[in-house]
Amino acid sequence: MLKLNGRILSIAIGFALLTALPACARHADAPPAVTPAPIVVQVKDTPPGELLTCATRPEGLPEDPSLIAQIPTKIRAGIIRLARAFAGNADRNDRLVNWNVPGSCPVTKDK
């Protein structure tokens, strides 16, 4: 059995007071929960008319093999990169227009 002497008793009372006294103390009142007012953002349902036009696709280079063979390889590769980038942007624009106004632009499936 544990013999309680003055030192152990004072330590036990100290721990008891450390846990009990903070509960008796006055606490500052918590500030009232304030709900911030919602931020109003004006949203336009549709973009301006100039953005709702289908992309115009130019006819491109002639497909005569003798003319294509005359274009240097590096220049031909650059032309192909430009044409693919233009086609990607035109397809993206048409999808955006069709998303806002369905069926406005023709859908191309050749990739």
Side-chain angles (χ1 to χ4, degrees):
M1 194 138 191
L2 182 63
K3 184 176 177 183
L4 294 176
N5 62 15
R7 185 173 181 170
I8 293 176
L9 189 58
S10 66
I11 292 174
I13 291 173
F15 280 130
L17 289 175
L18 283 175
T19 56
L21 287 180
C24 298
R26 289 186 50 103
H27 297 288
D29 292 335
V34 177
T35 318
I39 298 172
V40 178
V41 178
Q42 300 223 349
V43 178
K44 291 185 178 182
D45 291 337
T46 55
E50 67 267 9
L51 295 179
L52 290 178
T53 57
C54 299
T56 55
R57 290 171 170 83
E59 201 170 307
L61 297 174
E63 294 186 22
D64 184 11
S66 63
L67 291 176
I68 292 176
Q70 295 175 4
I71 300 174
T73 306
K74 289 183 180 181
I75 294 175
R76 187 175 341 127
I79 292 171
I80 291 171
R81 284 193 305 272
L82 288 172
R84 287 183 179 158
F86 177 82
N89 288 336
D91 289 342
R92 196 173 308 113
N93 180 51
D94 287 349
R95 285 195 315 268
L96 177 65
V97 171
N98 283 334
W99 185 69
N100 284 294
V101 185
S104 297
C105 299
V107 178
T108 56
K109 296 285 183 184
D110 48 319
K111 287 201 175 194

